[in-house]
Amino acid sequence: MTSTQQRAALQSQIWKIANDVRGSVDGWDFKQYVLGTLFYRFISENFASYIEAGDDSIHYAKLPDSVITDDIKEDAIKTKGYFIYPSQLFASISASANTNESLNTDLAAIFAAIESSANGYPSETDIKGLFADFDTTSNRLGNTVKDKNLRLAAVLKGVAGLDFGDFEGSHIDLFGDAYEFLISNYAANAGKSGGEFFTPQHVSRLIAQLAMHQQTTVNKIYDPACGSGSLLLQAKKHFDAHIIEDGFYGQEINHTTYNLARMNMFLHNINYDKFEMQLGNTLTDPYFADEKPFDAIVSNPPYSVNWVGSDNPTLINDDRFAPAGVLAPKSKADFAFVLHCLSYLSSKGRAAIVCFPGIFYRGGAEAKIRKYLVDNNYVETVISLAPNLFFGTTIAVTILVLSKHKTDTDTQFIDASGLFKKETNTNTLNDDHIDKIMGVFDSKENLAHFARSVPFEEIGANDYNLSVSSYVEAEDTREITDITALNAELKSTVVKIDRLRAEIEAIVAEIEA
């Protein structure tokens, strides 16, 4: 079986498990149990592989807990960030899950022990609360302990049956792929809420390439509204691991999604010392000021959400917003995220941000912020995408690419609204679409009806409107009518009609005679 076939088979199997086991529980509510179980299996096998270190004579799961010394435990935590005793491994628990009458409480105790194993170590904040949403006592699992245990056992057995092959082989990628597949399917079926925590992989690939274009190395990559971490991970997939030197940084306001992001990092084999996720409101309680600047920033922040804005008089003096001289409107925080990204961006880097299209032409404070961005030559490219590319919204969004190292004062506009492949419920970008966008982004070539680099003066004269449609003329796809040929055809038709009329009248006259 090829890797592609293996991946497809795994995805089909894991989605069947997710649907069959949940029963009457809503899929969105049940996702934490399937995702959490997959994560539990991954870190168990990852940890066992680390302890065994390729020695076939050691089978960690079969060792008694009593042989584990404090030194072994401490060394493991310093390296992996957490510790799991043999009896706590996924394989050990899943083997007896069907007959374990205290399965739900045993799992709760194991998860608490894994998290607490990091207490006092550098990995503490990366591990703490990882299993917070895996509530084994929740009534969502059933009304009685027996019902809860039956459903938990079914999830454990289902995930245990997934064939990931040898852990040191393609196993790691398959674990990460399976997790991403589950997240994307849950997002696709969750409507608007799904789009708030997951950016589809095809769009993520484009955003990651834009942010990291022509950079042989970046110090670190950052997403101020990271959701489940899909954008950050696309950067890892697209480039060799060593190109991102100091790791992955993200902040997320939703606690459940924040946990998903941290799990997602582990599942893609990013060690705790190579990522840092923080929980909180990026606009009013930002982290990582001590880590900036970042050479690459990717983001798909929430569109036109409310924020405190001018109700907090200290924000206008904030280093992120003060240079623009005005705050984003309280009912539309889009440009607050943009200015935040700009503030965290290095002099060699790029930020690629998905934006609601209205911010590029509306007046008021948003127009003043656009003026600030253009006057200071921060806007490299504005790209309009096709509609219906994201979960939970059909709008045609726009990607804003910011740079602090432009070599001229032109701004590039790309109309990619015609690039998409129609799927059942959504549109997608394929590799050819992404390659076409990246090709013209790199060359800055003017292409009729697709891309144009516009002088600074023209944008200023147009009231700093940054809508792609204002600068790239849409192609007229209506059929061209040849008036001369049409008139000739009409004359010929009239002659034929007259001749037929005369013939009919002659026949009628002959009959009447």
Side-chain angles (χ1 to χ4, degrees):
M1 183 183 291
T2 67
S3 59
T4 301
Q5 290 172 328
Q6 185 182 12
R7 182 175 287 108
L10 267 174
Q11 291 177 348
S12 174
Q13 188 180 357
I14 199 168
W15 190 240
K16 187 176 188 303
I17 292 168
N19 282 320
D20 289 351
V21 174
R22 71 181 176 87
S24 60
V25 185
D26 182 81
W28 183 248
D29 292 334
F30 196 64
K31 72 181 185 301
Q32 309 304 336
Y33 298 101
V34 180
L35 292 168
T37 302
L38 187 67
F39 176 70
Y40 174 36
R41 177 178 167 180
F42 173 83
I43 62 170
S44 292
E45 295 185 15
N46 186 302
F47 189 82
S49 177
Y50 163 74
I51 294 291
E52 292 162 4
D55 188 340
D56 293 337
S57 67
I58 301 175
H59 191 180
Y60 186 62
K62 293 183 178 180
L63 295 177
D65 292 354
S66 58
V67 305
I68 306 301
T69 65
D70 290 341
D71 288 343
I72 292 175
K73 183 175 181 180
E74 183 171 6
D75 287 345
I77 297 171
K78 287 179 178 178
T79 302
K80 301 301 295 180
Y82 58 92
F83 189 85
I84 306 178
Y85 281 101
S87 65
Q88 297 172 332
L89 292 171
F90 173 86
S92 303
I93 297 301
S94 62
S96 59
N98 287 337
T99 57
N100 185 352
E101 295 182 357
S102 59
L103 178 62
N104 68 325
T105 54
D106 286 351
L107 281 173
I110 289 170
F111 297 157
I114 294 172
E115 290 183 15
S116 64
S117 70
N119 290 350
Y121 290 88
S123 59
E124 180 175 353
T125 57
D126 298 305
I127 304 298
K128 186 177 181 179
L130 270 175
F131 291 99
D133 296 299
F134 198 126
D135 184 359
T136 61
T137 64
S138 172
N139 286 334
R140 291 173 179 173
L141 293 170
N143 292 324
T144 66
V145 171
K146 182 179 180 180
D147 290 340
K148 292 178 176 65
N149 287 339
L150 283 172
R151 184 156 282 155
L152 287 169
V155 177
L156 288 168
K157 288 294 185 181
V159 172
L162 296 172
D163 180 15
F164 288 105
D166 295 329
F167 191 85
E168 296 301 330
S170 60
H171 182 65
I172 291 171
D173 288 338
L174 288 173
F175 255 117
D177 285 347
Y179 196 75
E180 290 267 326
F181 168 79
L182 275 172
I183 291 177
S184 66
N185 271 29
Y186 281 124
N189 286 276
K192 183 178 180 181
S193 58
E196 292 176 355
F197 80 96
F198 185 79
T199 303
Q201 288 191 9
H202 53 96
V203 184
S204 296
R205 285 198 298 272
L206 172 61
I207 296 168
Q209 291 185 45
L210 288 167
M212 301 183 70
H213 183 62
Q214 289 187 337
Q215 298 196 71
T216 54
T217 62
V218 299
N219 61 352
K220 44 203 158 187
I221 187 166
Y222 168 59
D223 185 343
C226 67
S228 62
S230 56
L231 270 172
L232 292 170
L233 289 166
Q234 275 301 323
K236 178 181 184 294
K237 289 181 180 180
H238 185 71
F239 297 93
D240 293 334
H242 69 271
I243 197 174
I244 302 172
E245 296 172 341
D246 299 324
F248 304 78
Y249 294 77
Q251 185 165 346
E252 171 57 36
I253 196 171
N254 180 281
H255 190 276
T256 296
T257 312
Y258 158 71
N259 283 337
L260 289 179
R262 292 191 293 162
M263 288 184 183
N264 216 356
M265 293 292 138
F266 280 110
L267 278 157
H268 284 83
N269 211 36
I270 299 175
N271 208 42
Y272 78 91
D273 58 348
K274 285 296 183 182
F275 76 83
E276 186 173 350
M277 301 288 126
Q278 291 289 351
L279 176 66
N281 187 324
T282 293
L283 299 183
T284 57
D285 188 20
Y287 285 86
F288 310 124
D290 293 338
E291 296 290 343
K292 68 178 184 180
F294 294 86
D295 289 344
I297 297 176
V298 292
S299 192
N300 179 18
Y303 310 141
S304 299
V305 295
N306 295 327
W307 78 304
V308 63
S310 58
D311 283 347
N312 182 346
T314 66
L315 284 174
I316 193 59
N317 298 316
D318 190 298
D319 289 344
R320 299 169 295 163
F321 311 126
V326 65
L327 295 173
K330 289 188 294 182
S331 61
K332 302 174 181 67
D334 309 74
F335 266 127
F337 283 104
V338 170
L339 292 173
H340 172 89
C341 289
L342 181 66
S343 174
Y344 277 47
L345 185 64
S346 76
S347 59
K348 61 166 278 193
R350 285 189 177 90
I353 310 161
V354 181
C355 299
F356 183 79
I359 72 170
F360 294 99
Y361 60 80
R362 292 190 297 233
E366 291 177 319
K368 293 177 182 177
I369 295 173
R370 291 196 305 271
K371 183 179 187 303
Y372 162 74
L373 295 174
V374 174
D375 284 351
N376 287 275
N377 205 29
Y378 292 136
V379 182
E380 180 175 3
T381 302
V382 184
I383 307 169
S384 62
L385 297 180
N388 206 28
L389 289 174
F390 292 80
F391 301 126
T393 180
T394 60
I395 63 172
V397 300
T398 300
I399 297 177
L400 174 64
V401 182
L402 300 176
S403 170
K404 292 182 178 178
H405 61 271
K406 288 174 62 181
T407 57
D408 58 42
T409 58
D410 289 352
T411 297
Q412 182 187 40
F413 294 87
I414 300 175
D415 183 358
S417 59
L419 300 181
F420 64 92
K421 178 183 178 183
K422 182 68 177 175
E423 301 288 356
T424 304
N425 296 318
T426 60
N427 295 328
T428 62
L429 295 173
N430 61 32
D431 289 343
D432 289 340
H433 298 147
I434 294 173
D435 288 346
K436 183 174 182 179
I437 294 170
M438 291 306 303
V440 75
F441 175 74
D442 176 63
S443 69
K444 298 297 187 283
E445 180 183 3
N446 290 332
L447 296 175
H449 313 300
F450 186 67
R452 182 179 168 224
S453 291
V454 179
F456 162 80
E457 294 79 10
E458 183 176 340
I459 296 175
N462 195 24
D463 295 328
Y464 294 91
N465 186 317
L466 291 177
S467 294
V468 173
S469 59
S470 296
Y471 304 99
V472 180
E473 183 181 2
E475 184 175 6
D476 189 347
T477 57
R478 294 175 299 179
E479 184 178 352
I480 299 175
T481 303
D482 187 333
I483 299 300
T484 302
L486 180 60
N487 285 335
E489 186 179 347
L490 287 172
K491 288 180 180 179
S492 175
T493 302
V494 170
V495 170
K496 290 179 182 179
I497 292 173
D498 289 343
R499 184 174 68 249
L500 287 172
R501 183 179 289 114
E503 291 174 358
I504 292 171
E505 288 177 351
I507 293 171
V508 172
E510 183 178 342
I511 292 173
E512 290 178 346

